[in-house]
Structures are given as C-alpha cells and as structure tokens.
Amino acid sequence: MPLICVAAPKGGVGKTTLAANLAEALHRAGRCVLAIDFDPQNALRLHFGLPVRDGAGFVTELPQRPDWQELVRHTACGVGLLPHGTNDIHAALRLNAALEREPELLLAPLRAMLADPALVVVADLPPGPSHPLHLLAPIADLVVAVLLADATSAALVPEIDSGRFLGTGTMAALHTGRVRVVLNQVDPQSRLSRAVAEALARHLGPRLLGAVCRDEAVAEALAAQHLLHELAPESAAALDIEEIAQGIAALLPAPAEAAVP
Ligand SMILES: Nc1ncnc2c1ncn2[C@@H]1O[C@H](COP(=O)(O)OP(=O)(O)O)[C@@H](O)[C@H]1O
Ligand SMILES: [Mg+2]
C-alpha cells in the first residue's frame, strides 16, 4: 500500500542508487517491495542485475493498458522490479502527450498495485519537476528528497521547504509534510561537505532522514550490477542506507497492520 517516491530537484544526486538500495533494505526487513522506475534513463534495472541490452519496461506498453502484475520482474534479491524501458525521443514525446491527455494511463495501474495492502512501492523519479512526480506526489505517503552536501543543493532547500519542488500554491503546501530529506555523498574529509551537511541538519531538523557518506563501494556495486548490501554489506554507505531504511520503515504502517484489508 505505501508509496515512497525518491525524487530530487536536480539530477545525479543518487536517487536511483538510493531507490534500489532502500528497496532492498526494506525487503530484507520483511516487507514485500516493488521498485518502479519512472525515469527515462532506465537505470534502476542495472542495480538489480538486469542485462544492459534488456530494454523491456512498462512505459512502452502503457498505451496498450497492460496489467502491470504481468510486467513485474523477479530479481535475485527478492524485490519486484518494474523497469521503465528504453524509449526513443519520438516515443517519449508521444507518451508525454498521451499522459497529458489521460493521466489515468499511468495512475490506474499504479493504483491497482497500491491496492495490495502488503506491498511497499518504491518509485524512482526523474530529476527536477517532471510529469511522473506531478502525478505521483499527491498519492505518495512519503517523498524522499535526495540532496548533496554542496552549494547547489543548499540553494535548492527553499524549494523543499515550500513544497514548490512538488507543486504550486496550496497543493505544494499540502505535500510539504510528506517530504523527508536524505543527504547523499557526504564527505567527512571535506570542509565544505561537512559544513553544508551540518547547516542542513540544523535547518531540516526531524525532516532529515539521514545522510549517506561518499563511498567508492557505491559506484563499484553499480559497476558490478549488484546492490550495495550484496557487494559490501559492511561498507560505510551500506550501514548509512540501512539506518535510513529503518527510519523509513518506522514511518510506514507495520507489516501486520498492512496485511489487514
Ligand atoms: N554515496 C555515494 N558514494 C559514491 N558514489 C555515489 C554515491 N551515491 C551515488 N553515487 C554515484 O553517483 C552517480 C549518480 O548516482 P544516481 O543514483 O544514478 O543518481 P540520480 O539517480 O540522482 O541521477 C552514480 O555513478 C553512483 O554510483
Ligand atoms: Mg536516476
């Protein structure tokens, strides 16, 4: 039932990395998890070991109104995966126009998945304002906003504070309460990284779910097409992600509760 969106006002901050590894950590914590890739980069699948040439995904099928259950891939770690699928620019533009006309093309099958009370859906979103974020934010239980501990991310904090990052006007204000922040690639050896992280921690207070340190093991895990826990479970970043997953699990209804229709 719960929908967790992993989003960010800018790209390259670690959304996909966190979506994949948080999904896996929640699965290990006893949740039934489905990870869905809403980003045309189609990179979430790589963390779960799908071959690079495997470009199948739900997006190309959307106009045919498929049953998403049939498109779910079963990954080695136990997380269900709905890859975005590769799309050329013309198909992407046609799809955007179709979603503009009929948002239910995407929302109806997603709602059908969310009707399963035992399922936790982790959605990897494209960077910045995007069509999927616009559609998903109103039904998300939690929006995990990923920021770096650098000047650009610090400058984007007002977007998070105001909720403008998710919408405008009253809708933005309504969504603000569901946003939690994760700082990624924090480097304790860097004066600037440390200073920004400390300032953001003070500013965000309980809205900060946690921080993940910059760790070579993260990039190595992706290069090996493994999740971080599989490749380097004792790495500093793996332990950070574990702690954040526990924080997220504490915000979700307990699994037993979720199983009651
Ligand atoms: N904590 C981290 N330490 C080191 N490298 C990281 C960390 N988080 C992400 N990366 C690397 O940064 C790059 C961008 O991450 P990605 O998850 O693809 O970002 P996004 O989805 O926001 O575009 C990837 O090469 C990834 O391996
Ligand atoms: Mg990404």
Side-chain angles (χ1 to χ4, degrees), residues 3-181:
L3 171 63
I4 303 169
C5 289
V6 183
K10 76 192 236 14
V13 294
K15 291 179 301 301
T16 303
T17 303
L18 286 171
N21 288 288
L22 287 171
E24 189 264 349
L26 288 170
H27 174 76
R28 260 187 299 107
R31 303 291 182 138
C32 183
V33 184
L34 172 68
I36 309 183
D37 190 352
F38 288 93
D39 188 341
Q41 273 190 26
N42 197 25
L44 187 63
R45 70 200 166 115
L46 302 176
H47 293 264
F48 291 97
L50 260 64
V52 177
R53 63 183 176 283
D54 182 344
F58 72 96
V59 152
T60 38
E61 311 282 327
L62 273 186
Q64 285 78 51
R65 297 164 209 273
D67 178 351
W68 280 15
Q69 292 282 4
E70 287 171 13
L71 301 178
V72 172
R73 313 285 283 267
H74 301 282
T75 68
C77 72
V79 171
L81 172 69
L82 258 182
H84 180 280
T86 41
N87 227 357
D88 66 39
I89 184 156
H90 299 293
L93 291 172
R94 276 198 305 276
L95 180 71
N96 255 335
L99 284 177
E100 198 77 58
R101 280 193 310 273
E102 195 184 349
E104 284 299 308
L105 272 181
L106 191 119
L107 284 174
L110 178 60
R111 265 198 240 97
M113 302 303 272
L114 291 171
D116 178 347
L119 191 69
V120 176
V121 175
V122 177
D124 180 26
L125 276 299
S130 67
H131 209 135
L133 181 60
H134 174 69
L135 294 178
L136 265 58
I139 58 170
D141 297 271
L142 178 67
V143 178
V144 177
V146 185
L147 293 178
L148 300 179
D150 66 8
T152 317
S153 283
L156 289 167
V157 168
E159 294 297 305
I160 300 216
D161 286 345
S162 62
R164 274 195 306 270
F165 143 68
L166 298 174
T168 50
T170 307
M171 282 318 286
L174 287 175
H175 296 148
T176 314
R178 281 178 258 159
V179 180
R180 297 286 184 282
V181 175

